[in-house]
Amino acid sequence: MNYGKRGVKAKQKELNAKGGKFGRKFLFLIFKLAMAACIGVGICALAGGIGLFRSILAGTPTIKLSQMLATGQATMVFDANGKKIDEYISTDSNRIVVRADQVPEQLGLAFVALEDERFFQHNGVDYKAMVRAGWQYLKTGGSETQGASTITQQLLKNTIFTDWTEEGDNRIKKLQRKIQEQYLAIEVTKRTEKKDILLRYMNAINLGQNTLGVESASQRYFGKSAIDLTLSECAVIAAITQNPNKYNPLRNPDNNKGRRKTCLNNMKRLGFITTEEYNEAIADTDAVYERISYHDTELAGIEDSTATYFSDAVYEQVFADLVKMGYTKDVATSMLNSGGLRIYTTLDPEIQAILDEEFQNPDNFSPQTHWYLNYELSIYDEDDESHNYSKENMTTFFKESGQKGFNLIFADQESAYEAIATFRGAMFEQLGLVENEDDYVEVINLVAQPQVAMVVEDQKTGYVVAMEGGRGDKVGRRTLNRATNALRSPGSTFKVLASFAPALDAGGKTLATTYMDAPFNYYGGRPVSNWYHGYYRGIQTLRDAVAQSLNIIAVKNLTVIGPRMGYDYCLNFGFTTLTDGVVIGGKTFSDVNQTLALGGLTYGVSPYELNAGYATIANGGIHAEPKVYTKVTDADGNVILDNTTPSTRRVIKETTAYLLTNAMQDVLTVGTGSKANFSGQAIAGKTGTSSDYKDCWFVGYTPYYTATVWTGYDNNVGMSTSKSNNESDISKYMWKAVMSRIHENLEYKDFVEPEGIVRMDVCNQSGLLPIPGLCDGCLKSELFAVDNAPTESCNVHYSGYICAYDGRIATDLCPFAQPGAATLPFVEDPSLWEGSGLVEGQAGTVSGYCMHDAAFFAQPNAQDLIYQQWMEIEARNQQIQEQQEQEAQ
């Protein structure tokens, strides 16, 4: 710098120069304008930012703590003793919500130590953690990030913001939602105690293995409730949170082990645990993972459990009852699978265990097990087009190949796989393809046959205490439950419900009422067949018909009282699958007909409903609606469905129920059900067999329980009755095996005779009061309802004037009338044979009077006939006299 005179003058000249002065002023003006613009832009930006921030906050929902609840909870199912037996779980619903007193304090502190050290100090947002995370991001160039979300923010993400951040959202949108999340975290913290936030957080978080919340995780990994977790186990669960897959203690135990140690270190540093507690937990490191592995082994197969048939029935019944209440099917499904319901069932675990054991015992089944094939095949050609084949296609193929009896039933599994290979090869050949295992997909399911199902019910309450829906392995949830959903012909078990019960209750009939077991046809002319072939048993009482399961007597009886009466009684017994008119294939079918007596139905019935029908008789004629659960509550204990008080109605009189019970006791002592009998209890029951032994039943009861067993092939093949492989008796033997064990330690009880029952002697040929001196050889003691006891005398045995020629009652015109006694031809209701196509006599309706009526004497040769008859009478008398003289000598 030149500070001489010359230099100073030069500088002054430069400053005073007009051109330079103007330039400086211009630059200063530009500077001021720029500053003003910057200030303006800053003010606008600030205003915009404030406006944007306000708009973001304006779009933030107002929430309450009660809304910060994770949706989706597992529905739990309990037996009658309160033990959990199953869960209904949909995706993202395996959660069991717990209260504060059900979680150990150390578990909450473990989450705090790992996820949010300053949880108890900050206001919902941890600014220090945000700065730390930001610095880490800048320091690593974005390659590493650290979480800065507090427990409160994580709770909001898991409960309120579950669908706010989506794949592909831009950064501005994510930033907007982050601001809203932080704002709400601060607002929630202002109004909520930290312990409540922490509890809701522990109920909401994902902890791997399809578990949500600490209780579900505790049960999955350790097989116990969260309250029973040790410090070591608490650290394992807390370590999962940050990344449930990476830190899964089963799949990645080493990763979890490292994070668990960090958790314990932090807890010690923060003063949450003592040094002794820390050392104890560290010493448990190897053992805790061994316990997890051991419990996982115990659970092998249970997570993908097919559940039990009983649990399936519970699901279906609760679903149906929810829909009846007014819930839509979608809502009912959601409630069951993710609504956190608590279902308390009627299952008696001890009785169910007996059923399980007996159904697994091969001695209860026939020696030869057959196999029913369910089969599907998909073949893919060169264009990857699928060609699909079913078991019906397989059946058609083999029948067209000459195996007319092919029915998908195989004597062994090897034969089934041979048939599969033959069919598969033929289908490839039809398509012009070379068989290659990469070009087809098969679904093969071989089911043991014959199948068996069983239901056991407490008749006093209607509570079903045990159930089996089939034998063998169960292949999935809510598959075919033969106990509740398989509709089969009930066969002869329907004789009691459709024919005999209505007849005794309202049809004026008694157990002594008699019918002729003789040829008889249905309306239209088709003969009624007995299960015993080639002969008939003559006059039979209704008691005989119950004990010996007489088809013709049951059909005749229903014909007399009317099929409509029998049908209406069956509806009242609780059957929901009957129909009084349905069109199938252009034809109308109805169960209001004579075949109802023998279980010839349009659709059939389930063992569940048949059992309830007989339970009605066992319960003195009162039908208790069968149920598999007592009540259903929500997760908070509010009752939604209540069956604790059974729904009941009277179906038959108490006296009718007792008479039927007494008659059905004969079934086990002298009748068709003797193979089901056991000592130590009073038992009543009924056998049932449909045509060709396609269905075989035994349903019976004691004063304690009613049980039904069904046996049959899933595809309606007739069962074997051979001595070496008698499949038709399985129901009786299974009923005996199960019920004898159920009653082992139960006190003997007899069926209680109600008031209104009287015992009387009657003639066993007519069922009416005996005539002294005439019916002495035919007397029978029988029980009657007082209001329906016989008052008329026997109409089979006669004392008075009889015709000496034919032994019948003499008409007023009879020339051979003489005093005497006679056994008259059995007379039945004419309505039985009027529509059957049978003539008088074939139906047992021959008149009791002799032939000498007005029509006889109107014949031109009447006097000649009388003379011939007189000669025959004389010859008979002479023969009798000679025989008597010989006997006297």
Side-chain angles (χ1 to χ4, degrees):
M1 186 74 179
N2 186 359
Y3 291 99
K5 287 183 178 180
R6 185 176 295 177
V8 172
K9 287 182 178 180
K11 189 65 176 176
Q12 288 176 340
K13 186 177 180 181
E14 180 183 345
L15 292 171
N16 291 327
K18 292 183 178 180
K21 191 173 185 178
F22 177 79
R24 288 192 298 276
K25 288 181 178 180
F26 179 76
L27 290 174
F28 184 67
L29 177 62
I30 294 298
F31 174 74
K32 289 195 294 183
L33 291 173
M35 288 297 294
C38 287
I39 292 171
V41 169
I43 292 172
C44 291
L46 179 60
I50 293 172
L52 177 61
F53 188 74
R54 286 181 175 178
S55 68
I56 291 174
L57 295 186
T60 304
T62 300
I63 64 168
K64 299 177 181 178
L65 181 65
S66 59
Q67 295 174 278
M68 297 172 64
L69 181 66
T71 58
Q73 296 185 47
T75 287
M76 291 188 285
V77 185
F78 304 91
D79 66 21
N81 295 335
K83 181 181 178 181
K84 189 176 77 170
I85 56 173
D86 199 7
E87 291 181 342
Y88 304 146
I89 306 171
S90 66
T91 304
D92 297 331
S93 69
N94 189 15
R95 176 182 288 105
I96 304 171
V97 176
V98 289
R99 303 184 307 271
D101 61 353
Q102 297 173 310
V103 181
E105 182 182 9
Q106 288 181 332
L107 181 56
L109 294 176
F111 283 109
V112 171
L114 265 183
E115 296 296 315
D116 190 359
E117 289 186 6
R118 299 182 63 252
F119 172 72
F120 294 108
Q121 287 79 44
H122 61 64
N123 65 348
V125 177
D126 190 348
Y127 300 107
K128 289 184 179 180
M130 291 174 62
V131 172
R132 184 185 67 246
W135 172 246
Q136 181 71 14
Y137 182 81
L138 293 173
K139 186 172 67 173
T140 61
S143 62
E144 292 183 16
T145 60
Q146 287 186 354
S149 293
T150 65
I151 282 177
T152 310
Q153 289 175 269
Q154 292 181 48
L155 175 60
L156 287 164
K157 289 177 181 177
N158 281 294
T159 58
I160 305 300
F161 297 158
T162 55
D163 59 351
W164 274 31
T165 302
E166 300 174 358
E167 191 73 26
D169 284 351
N170 58 43
R171 293 185 178 181
I172 293 177
K173 195 170 184 180
K174 291 180 179 179
L175 177 61
Q176 172 185 338
R177 292 172 177 173
K178 191 69 175 178
I179 292 171
Q180 291 175 322
E181 174 194 297
Q182 293 175 349
Y183 169 74
L184 285 178
I186 295 170
E187 290 299 307
V188 167
T189 304
K190 288 179 183 178
R191 307 189 299 268
T192 310
E193 292 188 26
K194 289 295 182 97
K195 65 178 183 179
D196 291 334
I197 294 174
L198 183 58
L199 177 62
R200 289 175 183 269
Y201 168 80
M202 289 190 290
N203 276 320
I205 50 178
N206 180 355
L207 291 169
Q209 292 297 121
N210 192 33
T211 63
L212 299 171
V214 294
E215 179 66 18
S216 181
S218 177
Q219 294 190 14
R220 176 58 185 85
Y221 295 118
F222 298 104
K224 59 184 176 181
S225 295
I227 191 64
D228 298 321
L229 292 174
T230 65
L231 170 61
S232 175
E233 294 163 346
C234 288
V236 169
I237 289 179
I240 302 170
T241 314
Q242 189 179 72
N243 189 323
N245 184 47
K246 180 178 179 180
Y247 297 112
N248 186 310
L250 281 169
R251 297 177 183 173
N252 300 298
D254 290 337
N255 292 347
N256 183 275
K257 188 180 297 184
R259 189 156 173 80
R260 170 183 173 274
K261 186 173 183 181
T262 300
C263 175
L264 292 169
N265 289 340
N266 289 356
M267 292 183 77
K268 179 184 176 185
R269 174 174 55 82
L270 294 168
F272 292 163
I273 57 174
T274 65
T275 300
E276 290 76 17
E277 290 172 325
Y278 172 83
N279 291 337
E280 183 180 347
I282 291 296
D284 187 52
T285 298
D286 291 335
V288 73
Y289 291 98
E290 290 176 1
R291 294 197 297 274
I292 293 172
S293 178
Y294 177 77
H295 182 63
D296 186 61
T297 302
E298 286 186 322
L299 291 177
I302 295 179
E303 281 195 311
D304 298 323
S305 169
T306 57
T308 64
Y309 288 109
F310 194 99
S311 181
D312 285 354
V314 170
Y315 184 99
E316 293 177 357
Q317 191 170 103
V318 172
F319 175 83
D321 288 349
L322 288 172
V323 172
K324 287 179 183 177
M325 281 187 67
Y327 293 101
T328 66
K329 291 184 178 180
D330 288 341
V331 171
T333 299
S334 178
M335 290 174 70
L336 274 166
N337 294 327
S338 59
L341 301 181
R342 303 294 182 261
I343 303 176
Y344 300 90
T345 75
T346 59
L347 177 73
D348 185 315
E350 294 182 2
I351 295 179
Q352 184 63 54
I354 291 173
L355 268 69
D356 293 343
E357 291 170 11
E358 296 301 335
F359 268 66
Q360 293 168 9
N361 183 356
D363 293 340
N364 290 325
F365 302 99
S366 53
Q368 176 64 57
T369 296
H370 291 85
W371 299 92
Y372 175 47
L373 174 62
N374 286 291
Y375 180 69
E376 296 175 6
L377 170 67
S378 294
I379 298 176
Y380 297 88
D381 59 23
E382 296 91 337
D383 299 323
D384 205 31
E385 182 180 350
S386 173
H387 301 268
N388 302 314
Y389 305 91
S390 65
K391 63 183 180 182
E392 289 76 19
N393 298 129
M394 174 184 273
T395 301
T396 300
F397 167 78
F398 279 106
K399 286 186 174 181
E400 291 178 349
S401 301
Q403 298 185 34
K404 301 300 182 182
F406 185 84
N407 56 13
L408 298 168
I409 298 295
F410 298 90
D412 51 64
Q413 297 193 21
E414 291 74 13
S415 300
Y417 280 101
E418 289 176 4
I420 290 171
T422 300
F423 175 70
R424 184 178 61 239
M427 295 306 100
F428 267 96
E429 185 176 344
Q430 284 184 8
L431 295 172
L433 302 173
V434 176
E435 183 176 338
N436 188 310
E437 65 180 12
D438 295 329
D439 294 334
Y440 68 86
V441 175
E442 289 177 314
V443 177
I444 301 172
N445 183 25
L446 287 165
V447 183
Q449 302 292 322
Q451 270 297 322
V452 185
M454 187 172 189
V455 180
V456 183
E457 176 184 332
D458 179 344
Q459 58 258 19
K460 296 180 292 297
T461 61
Y463 291 165
V464 176
V465 297
M467 177 189 301
E468 293 288 351
R471 63 182 283 208
D473 295 333
K474 190 170 181 287
V475 296
R477 282 186 178 269
R478 292 187 286 285
T479 53
L480 174 62
N481 187 340
R482 298 168 187 84
T484 58
N485 297 331
L487 302 183
R488 307 290 298 221
S489 168
S492 296
T493 63
F494 244 45
K495 292 172 180 173
V496 172
L497 303 175
S499 180
F500 303 141
L504 296 180
D505 201 58
K509 306 302 178 182
T510 71
L511 289 177
T513 295
T514 54
Y515 292 95
M516 180 67 73
D517 183 33
F520 184 67
N521 295 347
Y522 294 111
Y523 295 143
R526 181 166 64 92
V528 180
S529 299
N530 276 322
W531 58 267
Y532 48 90
H533 300 288
Y535 70 100
Y536 298 93
R537 297 185 176 184
I539 298 174
Q540 299 290 312
T541 65
L542 289 192
R543 179 181 285 275
D544 296 330
V546 172
Q548 302 301 324
S549 197
L550 306 179
N551 291 358
I552 289 175
I553 307 304
V555 175
K556 282 186 172 183
N557 185 68
L558 181 63
T559 304
V560 170
I561 66 172
R564 171 58 68 177
M565 176 184 284
Y567 177 85
D568 290 342
Y569 265 83
C570 287
L571 294 182
N572 211 17
F573 273 117
F575 293 100
T576 62
T577 55
L578 306 184
T579 176
D580 62 356
V582 62
V583 178
I584 303 176
K587 295 183 179 180
T588 300
F589 293 85
S590 172
D591 295 327
V592 186
N593 57 54
Q594 293 166 294
T595 61
L596 179 70
L598 305 183
L601 307 175
T602 305
Y603 299 114
V605 300
S606 67
Y608 184 85
E609 289 192 349
L610 183 64
N611 194 68
Y614 273 81
T616 302
I617 304 173
N619 194 34
I622 296 176
H623 178 83
E625 193 70 24
K627 287 293 181 182
V628 292
Y629 70 92
T630 56
K631 67 177 179 178
V632 177
T633 72
D634 61 20
D636 296 323
N638 300 307
V639 177
I640 298 173
L641 295 170
D642 191 352
N643 284 327
T644 52
T645 301
S647 173
T648 62
R649 64 177 178 273
R650 179 162 291 284
V651 178
I652 55 177
K653 292 178 286 190
E654 189 176 13
T655 53
T656 302
Y658 181 77
L659 293 174
L660 290 170
T661 296
N662 188 268
M664 284 191 284
Q665 288 182 273
D666 293 351
V667 172
L668 289 107
T669 56
V670 297
T672 57
S674 59
K675 293 176 181 178
N677 199 14
F678 61 89
S679 61
Q681 281 296 335
I683 308 172
K686 184 69 185 75
T687 55
T689 306
S690 65
S691 300
D692 301 322
Y693 294 93
K694 293 177 180 177
D695 304 276
C696 289
W697 304 77
F698 188 81
V699 52
Y701 52 89
T702 69
Y704 291 97
Y705 297 105
T706 303
T708 295
V709 180
W710 164 85
T711 305
Y713 279 73
D714 283 336
N715 62 341
N716 281 312
V717 173
M719 284 181 284
S720 168
T721 59
S722 67
K723 290 184 178 180
S724 61
N725 189 45
N726 192 338
E727 298 170 329
S728 62
D729 282 338
I730 291 176
S731 291
K732 301 170 193 174
Y733 289 128
M734 181 63 77
W735 194 93
K736 177 180 179 178
V738 170
M739 291 291 276
S740 61
R741 289 184 60 189
I742 290 175
H743 290 81
E744 276 180 353
N745 298 315
L746 295 178
E747 179 186 359
Y748 174 85
K749 286 185 180 181
D750 206 345
F751 297 111
V752 179
E753 181 179 307
E755 293 184 2
I757 295 293
V758 62
R759 181 174 289 278
M760 298 173 57
D761 287 339
V762 293
C763 175
N764 64 10
Q765 300 295 294
S766 63
L768 301 176
L769 296 176
I771 300 174
L774 296 182
C775 301
D776 294 349
C778 305
L779 292 180
K780 177 180 181 180
S781 180
E782 186 56 272
L783 297 175
F784 300 90
V786 171
D787 59 358
N788 194 37
T791 57
E792 297 180 1
S793 296
C794 175
N795 58 8
V796 172
H797 297 97
Y798 173 78
S799 177
Y801 284 95
I802 63 170
C803 176
Y805 176 72
D806 60 15
R808 300 182 186 179
I809 301 173
T811 66
D812 293 339
L813 301 177
C814 180
F816 310 119
Q818 61 183 28
T823 299
L824 306 177
F826 189 76
V827 179
E828 287 184 307
D829 192 320
S831 64
L832 288 174
W833 53 273
E834 287 176 353
S836 68
L838 298 174
V839 298
E840 185 177 3
Q842 288 181 301
T845 56
V846 177
S847 170
Y849 286 91
C850 72
M851 64 179 66
H852 305 110
D853 55 12
F856 176 87
F857 286 103
Q859 299 178 87
N861 61 340
Q863 293 302 319
D864 295 336
L865 292 174
I866 289 175
Y867 177 76
Q868 293 175 9
Q869 291 173 358
W870 179 77
M871 293 296 291
E872 290 179 24
I873 293 172
E874 286 297 311
R876 270 203 314 267
N877 290 338
Q878 182 64 34
Q879 184 178 2
I880 292 172
Q881 183 177 354
E882 292 175 355
Q883 184 176 352
Q884 291 175 343
E885 290 175 352
Q886 291 177 358
E887 291 175 354
Q889 294 175 355

